[in-house]
Amino acid sequence: DVKVTQSSRYLVKRTGEKVFLECVQDMDHENMFWYRQDPGLGLRLIYFSYDVKMKEKGDIPEGYSVSREKKERFSLILESASTNQTSMYLCASSLAGSLAEAFFGQGTRLTVV
Amino acid sequence: AQKITQTQPGMFVQEKEAVTLDCTYDTSDPSYGLFWYKQPSSGEMIFLIYQGSYDQQNATEGRYSLNFQKARKSANLVISASQLGDSAMYFCASHSGNTPLVFGKGTRLSVIA
């Protein structure tokens, strides 16, 4: 069965902390994505990656960075967490060069206090 | 750039009735895919149905069908015989080639017994 796994379901961090959100997929997908979901705003793309060590900025990259050292793992990093980064974070993966659907992880609800 | 518009923030439907969730899209690419996802209160994104821009027939998956009107750039989701378990957020999305999925803001569907 297809699987995208996010390391935490719920996370509470303090303002100023460095936060790592991990995502692992077992489908050998080339593409991986990080979205942020807020009420009334839908899903907004933070960063994506089409291959190992490659990354592209999405629509809202400010305050975030990413790392993709291995094909199956895509990490989202909040360099210095702020309260306006309290949100639901969703990781997804998909096959390269196709119009196939993306598969999502279960989401991480991050609260920054 | 692609854009997805979902104009219904919330919808109510009686159990066993059909409901249509609206979605319009804007893209200049001739080849693209359209997707609908369901997000229950638990948070995971569940892929429901896909329509390719060159598909001649409307996509169907069980109780879900996609009313694809290419000239009007609309891709409405029709859910027949609504069930209480259909209560969720529904997102329309699209992408073309190797671009990331772009999402609408979502529609919250509530099924009433």
Side-chain angles (χ1 to χ4, degrees):
Chain A
D1 212 11
V2 161
K3 209 143 189 193
V4 179
T5 304
Q6 294 181 229
S7 53
S8 304
R9 195 73 192 267
Y10 299 95
L11 214 51
V12 180
K13 295 292 182 180
R14 294 197 181 278
T15 302
E17 273 192 79
K18 190 169 186 176
V19 181
F20 292 86
L21 303 184
E22 307 286 349
C23 176
V24 177
Q25 50 96 3
D26 64 1
M27 296 163 285
D28 203 34
H29 284 170
E30 293 82 4
N31 302 337
M32 294 190 76
F33 312 92
W34 275 105
Y35 291 89
R36 170 179 171 159
Q37 182 182 4
D38 299 288
L41 298 178
L43 277 74
R44 294 179 292 168
L45 183 66
I46 305 172
Y47 267 98
F48 58 103
S49 168
Y50 289 145
D51 204 348
V52 176
K53 296 194 187 293
M54 291 184 69
K55 60 185 179 184
E56 298 281 346
K57 291 181 179 179
D59 300 317
I60 52 165
E62 296 78 19
Y64 303 94
S65 62
V66 290
S67 172
R68 192 156 181 212
E69 295 297 317
K70 293 184 178 181
K71 190 176 185 179
E72 67 271 18
R73 186 179 296 269
F74 192 36
S75 303
L76 179 69
I77 304 156
L78 286 66
E79 297 291 343
S80 177
S82 64
T83 54
N84 62 13
Q85 292 178 310
T86 292
S87 188
M88 170 74 108
Y89 291 87
L90 290 158
C91 174
S93 72
S94 70
L95 277 172
S98 76
L99 293 178
E101 72 271 25
F103 294 89
F104 282 82
Q106 77 276 31
T108 296
R109 192 168 292 280
L110 173 68
T111 303
V112 183
V113 297
Chain B
Q2 296 178 70
K3 186 179 177 182
I4 297 287
T5 303
Q6 294 180 254
T7 56
Q8 306 153 315
M11 290 278 288
F12 289 89
V13 64
Q14 202 76 33
E15 198 177 6
K16 298 179 186 174
E17 298 290 313
V19 63
T20 298
L21 307 184
D22 294 341
C23 172
T24 57
Y25 61 92
D26 188 11
T27 178
S28 56
D29 292 307
S31 177
Y32 52 88
L34 297 158
F35 304 81
W36 278 92
Y37 284 83
K38 173 183 178 181
Q39 188 184 42
S41 56
S42 52
E44 76 269 29
M45 294 285 281
I46 302 167
F47 165 71
L48 294 178
I49 195 166
Y50 163 81
Q51 179 85 42
S53 58
Y54 294 119
D55 293 343
Q56 295 297 314
Q57 294 196 323
N58 287 344
T60 60
E61 288 287 346
R63 294 186 298 111
Y64 304 108
S65 60
L66 201 151
N67 185 359
F68 181 44
Q69 298 187 43
K70 198 169 182 177
R72 298 180 63 185
K73 294 193 172 182
S74 78
N76 299 339
L77 176 71
V78 180
I79 305 174
S80 63
S82 297
Q83 302 171 357
L84 295 177
D86 293 334
S87 294
M89 282 291 289
Y90 288 81
F91 291 97
C92 180
S94 77
H95 75 124
S96 55
N98 216 23
T99 62
L101 274 173
V102 173
F103 286 84
K105 293 184 178 181
T107 296
R108 183 172 295 282
L109 177 67
S110 299
V111 181
I112 304 164

